[in-house]
Amino acid sequence: MQPLLQLIRRHKSGENVGIYSVCSAHPWVLESAIRLAKERNSSVLIEATSNQVNQFGGYTGMQPADFRAMIWKIADKIGFPRERVWLGGDHLGPNTWQNRSAQEAMQLAETLIYDYVAAGFRKIHLDCSMSCADDPVPLSDEIVASRAARLCQVAERSWKEHSGEHPVYVIGTEVPVPGGTKASMAGMQITSPQAAEMTLKIHQYAWQEHGLADVWPRVIGLVVQPGVEFDHHNVEHYKSAQAQTLSQFIETVPHLVYEVHSTDYQTQRAYRELVRDHFAILKVGPALTFALREGLFALDKLDCEWNGELNAAHLHDTLEQIMHEQPQHWSPYYQGSAHQQYLDRQYSLSDRIRYYWADPKAEAAVNKLLNNLHNNPTPLSMLSQYLPEQAEAVKVGRLEHDPKAWVMDKVRTVLIQYALACEGQSEGAVA
């Protein structure tokens, strides 16, 4: 049986288990996630979005087969079995081509879906909630469901032509905008059970109309809003009591759990409660590259103090320059005074910096930073100032005296919270 189907069946039978989805294209983040899966003898779910990876390369420059190859290369290096790396596609639909007609955008989305499944991606989020250039705003639920079913047909055809395990699907229109919201959290509302039920009914009918009735049991997740979100500097934390009617509704639906986006920056208790309340698929992305950025900025401070301003890599300043030269990934999101925009560029929880790590100048600065700290290792006294948890781990022998390992351990501190919640660990469990 498909591994994700097995996991959902375990949850529906009463086990307090879930799965977290790593939504990032940064190699260090992906390596951290795979290493943690190896450490805990588990599997890892890694998802690419339609903006990151598509038939034209996306903003990463990778097509689906390229992304898979990168993941497998990391897994092979670590000695982690490829079959325990589960690949998913997030927001797969016409999102990237909203400025085109619906007919053209959907044709491009069909190619996108086909290529993802052909490359071995088996968890497919069908997202047709956005209006295209000649569409009404907003789209009706019936149009959204019909388009999703059309893309499901393509996914099934691709799977049959390329064999392997069959895909499973996630549906739902209550989805944060891919790449992050521009709006305030003030208008956020928890999905009502009535809205969830209506979404399921309309989608199930669309599946039947498109000859997909036998595929419907492989729809494992419905995207909803249980009351979790973040903006640039604030987090709306999960309040279980407010989501109970929504939680109880899904108990009446076979083979389905909820999927939640924007779970970044929640507490350990919140993750456990989300899984317990059947919000059992947890998406995380910006929090991982936020931790990566924290670690690299800490190394940048160490480098400047330890090796001197003249010889330092000046990573922070390099990124600020790149973001000024290429504002398209942050300027629509960061408003206010020049100083506020500066603070947001460097420290926003939405972490728009993640779009710039692959820039050649940023990569060169990171490489110089690592070389500086390898060639002239910093003492623990200074490491303790900027990365105290990692300094303690070096003292006890859990981490090597390696700057890259320190940064990846920062990412691990985020991932381990998800792992403990999804594995059904007890209240007092520690990493």
Side-chain angles (χ1 to χ4, degrees), residues 269-424:
R269 178 183 293 275
Y271 295 130
R272 286 195 298 266
E273 292 178 344
L274 281 163
V275 172
R276 179 200 66 198
D277 294 346
H278 314 306
F279 304 98
I281 306 174
L282 305 175
K283 308 295 285 293
V284 56
L288 301 173
T289 45
F290 185 90
L292 175 96
R293 192 271 312 157
E294 282 186 323
L296 284 168
F297 276 17
L299 295 188
D300 194 46
K301 288 284 190 181
L302 277 170
D303 183 35
C304 286
E305 291 198 13
W306 181 240
N307 290 308
E309 294 283 343
L310 186 61
N311 298 313
H314 297 289
L315 174 63
H316 179 283
D317 295 341
T318 299
L319 281 167
E320 179 67 3
Q321 178 185 341
I322 295 169
M323 294 178 83
H324 270 294
E325 293 171 351
Q326 304 172 37
Q328 66 272 21
H329 294 304
W330 63 266
S331 59
Y333 297 84
Y334 299 156
Q335 308 300 321
S337 67
H339 182 61
Q340 185 61 54
Q341 290 181 15
Y342 164 79
L343 293 176
D344 290 343
R345 281 194 300 273
Q346 302 302 324
Y347 305 112
S348 169
L349 295 175
S350 66
D351 188 47
R352 310 298 302 179
I353 281 182
R354 70 185 186 273
Y355 293 94
Y356 296 90
W357 290 116
D359 184 278
K361 288 185 286 190
E363 288 187 335
V366 170
N367 289 334
K368 182 177 181 180
L369 176 61
L370 294 182
N371 288 334
N372 283 354
L373 296 175
H374 273 299
N375 295 335
N376 188 21
T378 55
L380 275 177
S381 56
M382 292 186 68
L383 179 61
S384 181
Q385 173 65 40
Y386 293 105
L387 291 168
E389 293 180 9
Q390 286 64 44
E392 193 61 32
V394 171
K395 287 181 188 177
V396 301
R398 185 175 68 80
L399 283 181
E400 299 178 5
H401 201 97
D402 174 19
K404 181 179 176 181
W406 303 337
V407 176
M408 290 175 60
D409 192 63
K410 287 280 292 181
V411 178
R412 180 188 180 278
T413 62
V414 178
L415 291 167
I416 192 65
Q417 297 182 63
Y418 284 89
L420 291 174
C422 290
E423 293 168 4

Side-chain angles (χ1 to χ4, degrees), residues 174-191:
E174 300 216 10
V175 183
V177 177
T181 180
K182 301 178 187 178
S184 164
M185 295 188 293
M188 182 191 67
Q189 293 184 343
I190 295 174
T191 304

